[in-house]
Amino acid sequence: MFSRSLRVLGARANRRALSACYLRTRCLSTTLNSQAEPVTNHNVPVGESIPAQSSVMPIYLDAQATTPLDPRVLDAMMPYMTENYGNPHSRTHKYGWETEKAVDIAREQIANLIGAHPKEIIFTSGATESNNTSIKGVARFYKGKKNHIITSQTEHKCILDSCRVLQEEGFEVTYLPVNKGGIIDLNELKAAIRPTTALVSIMAVNNEIGVIQDLKEIGKICHENRVFFHTDGAQAAGKIPLNVNDMNIDLMSISGHKLYGPKGVGALYVRRRPRVRLEPIITGGGQERGIRSGTVPSSLVVGMGAAAALSARELDYDYQHISKLSRRLVDGIQSRVSHVVRNGDPNHIYPGCVNLSFSFVEGESLLMALKNVALSSGSACTSASLEPSYVLRALGAEDDMAHSSIRFGLGRFTTESEVDYVVDNVQAHVNRLRDMSPLWEMHQEGIDIKSIQWSQH
Ligand SMILES: Cc1ncc(COP(=O)(O)O)c(C=O)c1O
Ligand code: FES
């Protein structure tokens, strides 16, 4: 039923109907599971939270954590999860050939999204693996001649951790700082490059604040200095235009589930001319040009290919849709709630990632209050450390502002009415939390909070 109705709805003109159909499917499954009347978030009055045990799914505004599988992607995957189950590496029968053909098409679809050649695409389990393979793989291959890596302080944990592992192996790593807006300084990058630098790794779009780095200029600097340039494109691929040749990118990591594809699959672009050499992390059967052994998960790969093709075709449409919602969200909140700061340089930001700090409000409390909205604080709150976000810290944010940040992630299926509902609820809950805050009261009385001498006992 799912696939037949979707084939009818597949055209771009029917996007609205498609997302409605998708959401209806979600509602339906809730009903089937719970045997209860379907309830939408919109039935919950503003300022009230859905009870903890409720079967209602919150409004999804966490598009940086993951994106829902586009139903058209599922449609493309289905045959490879059922009748076309061949191993794409089986050379002796039709099952293998059919699947291999599908994998090749997916490779081409992903290559097209970033202006690469299909032979330059390696399938992995996700951006974490692609990032590990790039950083460790390049460094270890060239370790006889080079021992230095450059990255930034606001990279995803898997980049920072790969660098840490390399430091333990004797490599040197420069972690470039960022300015208040989250952007690296290109002169500092130039100054950091040494004759022994093997790789520069700078992410395209930051997952916490949405800041976009100047990839083209970074790539130019790297190539002038004959240093390989890797970018973590997990949050950028399918969201903003990327071209590995225009941008002088030598390696790029992509994740399936960040672009409305399945989880557990990713891609790594590896330039062929001039060739980038890597020491593989996973060895064995020598699949994927020896860079990543293991049977290619054909259904996931087909899904990621379909997702890439859809994203390429609808990139402008998605961007416009998300920009419009982003303006509605930011303007709505900022016009109705005072003392709200947007984190990240607004001139270099992906609109689908809106990171806001609400003064005098603890981010975690606001997150808890907004139970009917699926959000992230974009901070380290969830870790045992209770440390504020290292990304916001790198931007120079004061601890209190870092502690009061919330990330709103908008995506392809987000609707205007969802945004309006979120704006109403943010206003209601921020006001309520501030009314309970002694700091807010002092601020209202004109006391400069920063001048307060806190007792040390
Ligand atoms: C910037 C960035 N890099 C890498 C990853 C890891 O991606 P994956 O879940 O595909 O391993 C993420 C996802 O959280 C991300 O946002
Ligand atoms: S408690 Fe707020 S950032 Fe951790």
Side-chain angles (χ1 to χ4, degrees):
M1 178 205 82
F2 204 42
S3 71
R4 205 172 335 115
S5 64
L6 285 170
R7 219 163 286 134
V8 181
L9 292 170
R12 179 173 153 181
N14 282 326
R15 293 272 308 251
R16 248 172 190 288
L18 181 73
S19 76
C21 152
Y22 179 58
L23 295 172
R24 228 178 4 253
T25 313
R26 267 199 337 183
C27 264
L28 189 67
S29 62
T30 311
T31 320
L32 291 175
N33 291 342
S34 65
Q35 297 293 306
E37 277 296 298
V39 196
T40 67
N41 314 67
H42 308 274
N43 299 123
V44 181
V46 169
E48 277 182 33
S49 295
I50 296 172
Q53 296 304 316
S54 166
S55 59
V56 181
M57 291 302 277
I59 288 174
Y60 191 74
L61 280 199
D62 205 8
Q64 282 71 42
T66 193
T67 51
L69 192 77
D70 190 304
R72 294 167 289 181
V73 170
L74 179 62
D75 211 16
M77 291 169 70
M78 268 316 211
Y80 297 91
M81 299 177 90
T82 51
E83 66 263 34
N84 296 348
Y85 51 79
N87 183 325
H89 315 295
S90 296
R91 290 280 154 80
T92 49
H93 50 70
K94 197 162 188 277
Y95 288 92
W97 305 330
E98 289 294 318
T99 314
E100 187 188 25
K101 207 158 53 182
V103 168
D104 284 345
I105 292 170
R107 210 183 288 284
E108 202 174 316
Q109 287 167 322
I110 293 162
N112 288 343
L113 179 66
I114 58 169
H117 189 278
K119 287 198 174 141
E120 296 175 310
I121 301 297
I122 305 295
F123 286 114
T124 66
S125 64
T128 299
E129 187 188 326
S130 299
N131 283 339
N132 270 266
T133 304
S134 302
I135 304 273
K136 295 174 185 166
V138 169
R140 288 174 185 161
F141 187 88
Y142 293 97
K143 78 168 171 252
K145 302 186 201 104
K146 317 246 174 169
N147 72 340
H148 180 231
I149 310 284
I150 301 174
T151 188
S152 83
Q153 292 176 358
T154 55
E155 296 295 312
H156 191 268
K157 277 274 163 74
C158 60
I159 295 278
L160 297 176
D161 208 61
S162 296
C163 289
R164 187 192 54 76
V165 168
L166 287 177
Q167 280 178 295
E168 282 171 12
E169 292 174 18
F171 289 90
E172 290 172 18
V173 182
T174 302
Y175 298 91
L176 292 174
V178 294
N179 67 15
K180 270 180 133 31
I183 310 280
I184 64 157
D185 182 330
L186 297 179
N187 288 323
E188 285 186 45
L189 169 63
K190 276 185 209 158
I193 294 177
R194 308 174 189 169
T196 53
T197 306
L199 184 74
V200 169
S201 179
I202 303 291
M203 73 202 310
V205 171
N206 183 275
N207 49 299
E208 234 178 86
I209 51 175
V211 161
I212 306 172
Q213 301 291 344
D214 190 347
L215 297 186
K216 194 166 177 168
E217 281 306 307
I218 297 169
K220 207 165 126 210
I221 293 167
C222 290
H223 277 211
E224 280 165 5
N225 289 278
R226 303 176 69 80
V227 175
F228 290 130
F229 174 34
H230 165 257
T231 190
D232 175 355
Q235 298 289 348
K239 314 285 171 61
I240 58 168
L242 293 172
N243 185 297
V244 289
N245 293 318
D246 289 353
M247 294 172 161
N248 283 313
I249 295 166
D250 297 305
L251 302 115
M252 189 196 298
S253 305
I254 311 179
S255 173
H257 71 103
K258 310 278 185 189
L259 72 164
Y260 310 93
K263 293 172 183 58
V265 64
L268 174 59
Y269 158 76
V270 184
R271 180 175 289 284
R272 284 197 310 164
R273 292 202 189 88
R275 187 167 169 209
V276 181
R277 309 287 297 273
L278 297 166
E279 195 178 292
I281 293 179
I282 300 174
T283 55
Q287 291 92 341
E288 297 300 278
R289 292 175 33 223
I291 294 175
R292 208 289 190 168
S293 287
T295 302
V296 168
S298 33
S299 59
L300 298 180
V301 158
V302 165
M304 185 172 173
L310 284 170
S311 295
R313 207 173 70 205
E314 300 183 352
L315 198 130
D316 288 345
Y317 183 96
D318 282 346
Y319 193 88
Q320 295 307 326
H321 170 71
I322 289 167
S323 297
K324 202 168 123 208
L325 294 183
S326 180
R327 277 194 301 274
R328 197 176 177 94
L329 178 76
V330 175
D331 294 350
I333 292 177
Q334 287 192 326
S335 66
R336 287 157 63 176
V337 186
S338 67
H339 299 80
V340 180
V341 175
R342 179 155 189 194
N343 297 304
D345 181 344
N347 299 318
H348 301 275
I349 216 155
Y350 170 63
C353 183
V354 176
N355 189 308
L356 301 177
S357 286
F358 298 85
S359 303
F360 310 103
V361 172
E362 222 286 327
E364 273 306 89
S365 312
L366 185 54
L367 213 61
M368 292 296 175
L370 292 166
K371 272 219 161 41
N372 28 353
V373 189
L375 291 163
S376 157
S377 64
S379 72
C381 279
T382 43
S383 75
S385 65
L386 280 185
E387 280 288 306
S389 148
Y390 68 91
V391 173
L392 292 180
R393 277 237 177 123
L395 264 62
E398 302 271 347
D399 267 10
D400 54 343
M401 290 307 267
H403 272 283
S404 69
S405 74
I406 299 257
R407 181 183 71 184
F408 299 84
L410 309 163
R412 181 180 286 169
F413 299 112
T414 312
T415 64
E416 256 179 25
S417 66
E418 287 179 323
V419 167
D420 292 346
Y421 179 83
V422 171
V423 171
D424 288 345
N425 276 269
V426 166
Q427 180 187 17
H429 285 296
V430 169
N431 285 341
R432 189 178 56 79
L433 290 168
R434 282 183 179 164
D435 283 346
M436 299 189 308
S437 157
L439 291 179
W440 176 246
E441 203 178 314
M442 287 167 161
H443 174 74
Q444 300 290 89
E445 288 163 7
I447 299 168
D448 178 6
I449 306 299
K450 295 206 168 40
S451 69
I452 298 172
Q453 295 285 311
W454 300 101
S455 156
Q456 292 298 308
H457 349 280

mmCIF file with all atom_site columns, all heavy atoms in Angstrom, residues 362 364 379 381 386-388 402-403, ligand 2:
data_model
loop_
_atom_site.group_PDB
_atom_site.id
_atom_site.type_symbol
_atom_site.label_atom_id
_atom_site.label_alt_id
_atom_site.label_comp_id
_atom_site.label_asym_id
_atom_site.label_entity_id
_atom_site.label_seq_id
_atom_site.pdbx_PDB_ins_code
_atom_site.Cartn_x
_atom_site.Cartn_y
_atom_site.Cartn_z
_atom_site.occupancy
_atom_site.B_iso_or_equiv
_atom_site.pdbx_formal_charge
_atom_site.auth_seq_id
_atom_site.auth_comp_id
_atom_site.auth_asym_id
_atom_site.auth_atom_id
_atom_site.pdbx_PDB_model_num
ATOM   1  N  N   . GLU A 1 362 ? 17.571 28.167 31.795 1.00 0.00 ? 362 GLU A N   1
ATOM   2  C  CA  . GLU A 1 362 ? 18.469 27.025 31.685 1.00 0.00 ? 362 GLU A CA  1
ATOM   3  C  C   . GLU A 1 362 ? 18.005 26.176 30.497 1.00 0.00 ? 362 GLU A C   1
ATOM   4  O  O   . GLU A 1 362 ? 16.831 25.785 30.424 1.00 0.00 ? 362 GLU A O   1
ATOM   5  C  CB  . GLU A 1 362 ? 18.401 26.227 32.994 1.00 0.00 ? 362 GLU A CB  1
ATOM   6  C  CG  . GLU A 1 362 ? 19.747 25.755 33.491 1.00 0.00 ? 362 GLU A CG  1
ATOM   7  C  CD  . GLU A 1 362 ? 20.281 24.610 32.678 1.00 0.00 ? 362 GLU A CD  1
ATOM   8  O  OE1 . GLU A 1 362 ? 19.461 23.799 32.207 1.00 0.00 ? 362 GLU A OE1 1
ATOM   9  O  OE2 . GLU A 1 362 ? 21.508 24.529 32.515 1.00 0.00 ? 362 GLU A OE2 1
ATOM   10 N  N   . GLU A 1 364 ? 18.377 23.174 29.585 1.00 0.00 ? 364 GLU A N   1
ATOM   11 C  CA  . GLU A 1 364 ? 17.804 21.867 29.912 1.00 0.00 ? 364 GLU A CA  1
ATOM   12 C  C   . GLU A 1 364 ? 16.361 21.993 30.395 1.00 0.00 ? 364 GLU A C   1
ATOM   13 O  O   . GLU A 1 364 ? 15.508 21.181 30.056 1.00 0.00 ? 364 GLU A O   1
ATOM   14 C  CB  . GLU A 1 364 ? 18.635 21.183 30.998 1.00 0.00 ? 364 GLU A CB  1
ATOM   15 C  CG  . GLU A 1 364 ? 19.797 20.373 30.488 1.00 0.00 ? 364 GLU A CG  1
ATOM   16 C  CD  . GLU A 1 364 ? 19.397 19.339 29.461 1.00 0.00 ? 364 GLU A CD  1
ATOM   17 O  OE1 . GLU A 1 364 ? 19.384 19.670 28.272 1.00 0.00 ? 364 GLU A OE1 1
ATOM   18 O  OE2 . GLU A 1 364 ? 19.104 18.192 29.840 1.00 0.00 ? 364 GLU A OE2 1
ATOM   19 N  N   . SER A 1 379 ? 24.130 20.768 23.249 1.00 0.00 ? 379 SER A N   1
ATOM   20 C  CA  . SER A 1 379 ? 25.208 20.943 24.217 1.00 0.00 ? 379 SER A CA  1
ATOM   21 C  C   . SER A 1 379 ? 25.602 19.605 24.798 1.00 0.00 ? 379 SER A C   1
ATOM   22 O  O   . SER A 1 379 ? 25.068 18.568 24.427 1.00 0.00 ? 379 SER A O   1
ATOM   23 C  CB  . SER A 1 379 ? 24.739 21.846 25.344 1.00 0.00 ? 379 SER A CB  1
ATOM   24 O  OG  . SER A 1 379 ? 23.835 21.127 26.134 1.00 0.00 ? 379 SER A OG  1
ATOM   25 N  N   . CYS A 1 381 ? 24.978 18.648 27.652 1.00 0.00 ? 381 CYS A N   1
ATOM   26 C  CA  . CYS A 1 381 ? 24.107 18.389 28.802 1.00 0.00 ? 381 CYS A CA  1
ATOM   27 C  C   . CYS A 1 381 ? 23.876 16.911 29.038 1.00 0.00 ? 381 CYS A C   1
ATOM   28 O  O   . CYS A 1 381 ? 23.766 16.474 30.171 1.00 0.00 ? 381 CYS A O   1
ATOM   29 C  CB  . CYS A 1 381 ? 22.745 19.007 28.577 1.00 0.00 ? 381 CYS A CB  1
ATOM   30 S  SG  . CYS A 1 381 ? 22.713 20.729 28.945 1.00 0.00 ? 381 CYS A SG  1
ATOM   31 N  N   . LEU A 1 386 ? 28.028 17.568 32.365 1.00 0.00 ? 386 LEU A N   1
ATOM   32 C  CA  . LEU A 1 386 ? 27.228 18.787 32.483 1.00 0.00 ? 386 LEU A CA  1
ATOM   33 C  C   . LEU A 1 386 ? 28.009 20.018 32.049 1.00 0.00 ? 386 LEU A C   1
ATOM   34 O  O   . LEU A 1 386 ? 27.764 21.122 32.495 1.00 0.00 ? 386 LEU A O   1
ATOM   35 C  CB  . LEU A 1 386 ? 26.674 18.983 33.894 1.00 0.00 ? 386 LEU A CB  1
ATOM   36 C  CG  . LEU A 1 386 ? 25.431 18.176 34.256 1.00 0.00 ? 386 LEU A CG  1
ATOM   37 C  CD1 . LEU A 1 386 ? 24.909 18.556 35.623 1.00 0.00 ? 386 LEU A CD1 1
ATOM   38 C  CD2 . LEU A 1 386 ? 24.316 18.347 33.231 1.00 0.00 ? 386 LEU A CD2 1
ATOM   39 N  N   . GLU A 1 387 ? 28.984 19.812 31.202 1.00 0.00 ? 387 GLU A N   1
ATOM   40 C  CA  . GLU A 1 387 ? 29.765 20.921 30.640 1.00 0.00 ? 387 GLU A CA  1
ATOM   41 C  C   . GLU A 1 387 ? 28.952 21.575 29.542 1.00 0.00 ? 387 GLU A C   1
ATOM   42 O  O   . GLU A 1 387 ? 28.277 20.887 28.787 1.00 0.00 ? 387 GLU A O   1
ATOM   43 C  CB  . GLU A 1 387 ? 31.040 20.358 30.005 1.00 0.00 ? 387 GLU A CB  1
ATOM   44 C  CG  . GLU A 1 387 ? 32.139 20.038 30.969 1.00 0.00 ? 387 GLU A CG  1
ATOM   45 C  CD  . GLU A 1 387 ? 32.783 21.276 31.524 1.00 0.00 ? 387 GLU A CD  1
ATOM   46 O  OE1 . GLU A 1 387 ? 33.222 22.108 30.727 1.00 0.00 ? 387 GLU A OE1 1
ATOM   47 O  OE2 . GLU A 1 387 ? 32.812 21.405 32.770 1.00 0.00 ? 387 GLU A OE2 1
ATOM   48 N  N   . PRO A 1 388 ? 29.022 22.890 29.411 1.00 0.00 ? 388 PRO A N   1
ATOM   49 C  CA  . PRO A 1 388 ? 28.348 23.481 28.254 1.00 0.00 ? 388 PRO A CA  1
ATOM   50 C  C   . PRO A 1 388 ? 29.047 23.105 26.948 1.00 0.00 ? 388 PRO A C   1
ATOM   51 O  O   . PRO A 1 388 ? 30.182 22.648 26.959 1.00 0.00 ? 388 PRO A O   1
ATOM   52 C  CB  . PRO A 1 388 ? 28.426 24.980 28.519 1.00 0.00 ? 388 PRO A CB  1
ATOM   53 C  CG  . PRO A 1 388 ? 29.490 25.170 29.524 1.00 0.00 ? 388 PRO A CG  1
ATOM   54 C  CD  . PRO A 1 388 ? 29.655 23.882 30.270 1.00 0.00 ? 388 PRO A CD  1
ATOM   55 N  N   . ALA A 1 402 ? 25.889 29.653 26.910 1.00 0.00 ? 402 ALA A N   1
ATOM   56 C  CA  . ALA A 1 402 ? 26.072 28.299 26.377 1.00 0.00 ? 402 ALA A CA  1
ATOM   57 C  C   . ALA A 1 402 ? 25.109 27.329 27.051 1.00 0.00 ? 402 ALA A C   1
ATOM   58 O  O   . ALA A 1 402 ? 24.607 26.400 26.429 1.00 0.00 ? 402 ALA A O   1
ATOM   59 C  CB  . ALA A 1 402 ? 27.514 27.854 26.574 1.00 0.00 ? 402 ALA A CB  1
ATOM   60 N  N   . HIS A 1 403 ? 24.831 27.586 28.341 1.00 0.00 ? 403 HIS A N   1
ATOM   61 C  CA  . HIS A 1 403 ? 23.915 26.721 29.079 1.00 0.00 ? 403 HIS A CA  1
ATOM   62 C  C   . HIS A 1 403 ? 22.462 26.934 28.694 1.00 0.00 ? 403 HIS A C   1
ATOM   63 O  O   . HIS A 1 403 ? 21.609 26.126 29.032 1.00 0.00 ? 403 HIS A O   1
ATOM   64 C  CB  . HIS A 1 403 ? 24.057 26.948 30.585 1.00 0.00 ? 403 HIS A CB  1
ATOM   65 C  CG  . HIS A 1 403 ? 25.117 26.098 31.197 1.00 0.00 ? 403 HIS A CG  1
ATOM   66 N  ND1 . HIS A 1 403 ? 24.930 24.772 31.449 1.00 0.00 ? 403 HIS A ND1 1
ATOM   67 C  CD2 . HIS A 1 403 ? 26.375 26.383 31.590 1.00 0.00 ? 403 HIS A CD2 1
ATOM   68 C  CE1 . HIS A 1 403 ? 26.030 24.277 31.990 1.00 0.00 ? 403 HIS A CE1 1
ATOM   69 N  NE2 . HIS A 1 403 ? 26.925 25.231 32.070 1.00 0.00 ? 403 HIS A NE2 1
HETATM 70 S  S1  . FES B 2 .   ? 23.326 22.006 31.779 1.00 0.00 ? 2   FES B S1  1
HETATM 71 FE FE1 . FES B 2 .   ? 23.088 23.507 30.225 1.00 0.00 ? 2   FES B FE1 1
HETATM 72 S  S2  . FES B 2 .   ? 24.601 23.161 28.817 1.00 0.00 ? 2   FES B S2  1
HETATM 73 FE FE2 . FES B 2 .   ? 24.711 21.556 30.211 1.00 0.00 ? 2   FES B FE2 1
#
